[in-house]
Amino acid sequence: MTASLFWSSPVSDNSLDVAAPPADLEIIVNDARDGQKAQLRLWLRMLSITKIISHEIRRRLRNEFQATLPQFDLMAQLYREREGLRLGELSRRTMVTNGNVTGLADRLESDGLIVRQSADGDRRVTVAKLTRHGRETFARMARAHEAWLRELMSEVDDKTLAQIFGATGRVKRSVSSRLIKSED
Amino acid sequence: MTASLFWSSPVSDNSLDVAAPPADLEIIVNDARDGQKAQLRLWLRMLSITKIISHEIRRRLRNEFQATLPQFDLMAQLYREREGLRLGELSRRTMVTNGNVTGLADRLESDGLIVRQSADGDRRVTVAKLTRHGRETFARMARAHEAWLRELMSEVDDKTLAQIFGATGRVKRSVSSRLIKSED
DNA sequence: CGATATTACTTTAGAGTTAAAAGATTGCGA
DNA sequence: TCGCAATCTTTTAACTCTAAAGTAATATCG
């Protein structure tokens, strides 16, 4: 096998060597033709950052609001749709499978944060919407959530943030178009 | 409240915010200072990209190798450590909790991909290492995995990839340092 | 020496995850 | 109108995930 790809020892972040803790799964490739692996390297970096931040957000949501991240995501979608959304649409928007939405909705409903309604004339459809309590709770969570992110990224200047945002847009488009094509 | 949390619809591209959510003015009223949300926006974008790619990698690993992503990650760590790793170290490196590593190792072991050994003189310790079959299997998976990423990001030029890689390094350092500090 | 930490792993309980199958309901073409 | 396809949600099975408690084995200190 040519590609000898070796996962780097987590702690040794090629950037900065901060203490030790919860190691990081950033992978590095030690290969002569390093240029060939830019995609892999970038992917591992994004994965690593996302895991670290998710972990932290998850922890804080749990500690401060007794909520989980998927629940927060689901509520976020409902927050901007006063009329509520059908479960299937919710599934699409949150990128969570149908079956999963059922369970999430069950828990949120039993906590009094959302309600299920069989609206429309179509009895197959179920619409979920935030209760008053749900809206208030979410509003508080969203404020905290936003502040956490600002805090976590506080050492990065706005210009860099904007730059990454723009460039990652290209990555997103590339990935998305590949997925769509392969569906043919 | 400053709520303004206009969650972009996840799956759809959040750069071009097409959908026009009517909703109450109250909700939208807030902040004219959109610039304050660069962190939130970037976070949502990274989360979105990561979800899409993970989803696809997971799907392909399942279809072509009957393996899961966490299993792949665990094997990746063992691949470069011929001598094997103790479960605790594996947990640290993969950012997976101890209990979870136990289950993952159970499954990999029963599939004949790894073996557990009670090495050392310390009988509390268990070392996991890839079997011959495990090494061969992982080598094939790793090659495919790398190719998939190259394919998915193929529309992005190397310069952009390198640029993002570099800039996200700063994000990672910022986030990491905040976490360590808060541990005090 | 022996009680008490500490360390390493496993177990448990509650959530989330996916894919696939099962249940309802509705729509549509012959 | 009847039957079958399409749509929407729930169920199921296997896996992953976290936090917290449990079980060994080893270390430490009085």
Side-chain angles (χ1 to χ4, degrees), chain A residues 19-75:
Chain A
D24 141 3
L25 46 100
E26 200 165 298
I27 304 168
I28 284 181
V29 187
N30 44 356
D31 189 84
R33 344 173 299 275
D34 229 34
Q36 297 283 44
K37 299 184 186 276
Q39 295 85 0
L40 179 55
R41 218 172 8 232
L42 176 56
W43 165 238
L44 294 171
R45 167 146 297 170
M46 291 195 298
L47 191 55
S48 161
I49 294 179
T50 300
K51 270 197 185 177
I52 294 171
I53 297 182
S54 286
H55 215 272
E56 186 63 13
I57 299 287
R58 208 180 290 273
R59 196 176 66 72
R60 297 188 187 190
L61 277 176
R62 182 192 206 74
N63 291 344
E64 302 184 24
F65 298 99
Q66 290 72 55
T68 66
L69 192 47
Q71 286 169 7
F72 177 74
D73 287 345
L74 194 155
M75 291 176 77

Side-chain angles (χ1 to χ4, degrees), chain A residues 1-3 5-11 13-16 18-27 35-57 59-60 69 72-73 76-77 79-82 92-97 135 138-139 142-143 145-146 149-158 160-179 181-182, chain B residues 1-15 17 19 21-24 26-27 33 35-57 59-60 69 72-73 76-77 79-81 89 92-97 138-139 142-143 145-146 149-158 160-183:
Chain A
M1 42 158 256
T2 357
L5 74 65
F6 316 69
W7 269 219
S8 75
S9 87
V11 184
D13 182 357
N14 62 339
S15 23
L16 180 62
V18 196
D24 141 3
L25 46 100
E26 200 165 298
I27 304 168
Q36 297 283 44
K37 299 184 186 276
Q39 295 85 0
L40 179 55
R41 218 172 8 232
L42 176 56
W43 165 238
L44 294 171
R45 167 146 297 170
M46 291 195 298
L47 191 55
S48 161
I49 294 179
T50 300
K51 270 197 185 177
I52 294 171
I53 297 182
S54 286
H55 215 272
E56 186 63 13
I57 299 287
R59 196 176 66 72
R60 297 188 187 190
L69 192 47
F72 177 74
D73 287 345
Q77 291 303 324
Y79 190 74
R80 43 179 248 145
E81 297 286 352
R82 281 258 174 186
R92 240 182 28 77
R93 297 200 191 187
T94 54
M95 282 183 76
V96 150
T97 50
R135 289 194 73 73
F138 178 75
R143 274 197 299 281
H145 176 261
E146 193 184 327
L149 287 164
R150 202 150 31 223
E151 175 207 336
L152 291 172
M153 299 188 190
S154 61
E155 290 173 24
V156 186
D157 58 291
D158 286 2
T160 300
L161 293 177
Q163 184 192 38
I164 302 176
F165 184 78
T168 50
R170 273 171 268 174
V171 173
K172 186 171 176 179
R173 276 193 297 281
S174 174
V175 173
S176 298
S177 77
R178 295 284 146 180
L179 296 189
K181 273 181 196 150
S182 60
Chain B
M1 54 159 248
T2 329
S4 56
L5 137 4
F6 43 40
W7 243 231
S8 48
S9 65
V11 180
S12 61
D13 190 349
N14 27 0
S15 47
D17 213 4
D24 294 43
E26 307 173 343
I27 306 173
R33 4 172 280 265
Q36 297 283 46
K37 302 189 184 279
Q39 296 83 1
L40 178 54
R41 230 185 343 249
L42 176 56
W43 166 237
L44 293 173
R45 165 144 299 168
M46 290 196 299
L47 192 54
S48 160
I49 295 178
T50 300
K51 270 194 188 179
I52 294 172
I53 298 183
S54 287
H55 215 273
E56 186 62 13
I57 298 287
R59 197 176 66 70
R60 297 187 186 189
L69 192 46
F72 177 74
D73 287 345
Q77 291 303 324
Y79 189 74
R80 38 173 264 132
E81 297 287 350
E89 177 61 16
R92 239 176 33 78
R93 296 200 191 186
T94 54
M95 281 181 76
V96 151
T97 50
F138 178 75
R143 274 197 299 278
H145 177 259
E146 192 184 328
L149 288 165
R150 207 158 19 229
E151 175 207 336
L152 291 173
M153 299 189 190
S154 61
E155 290 173 23
V156 187
D157 58 291
D158 286 3
T160 300
L161 293 177
Q163 184 193 38
I164 301 175
F165 185 78
T168 50
R170 273 171 269 175
V171 174
K172 186 171 176 181
R173 277 194 296 281
S174 175
V175 174
S176 298
S177 78
R178 296 281 146 183
L179 296 190
I180 293 168
K181 273 182 195 150
S182 61
E183 273 179 10

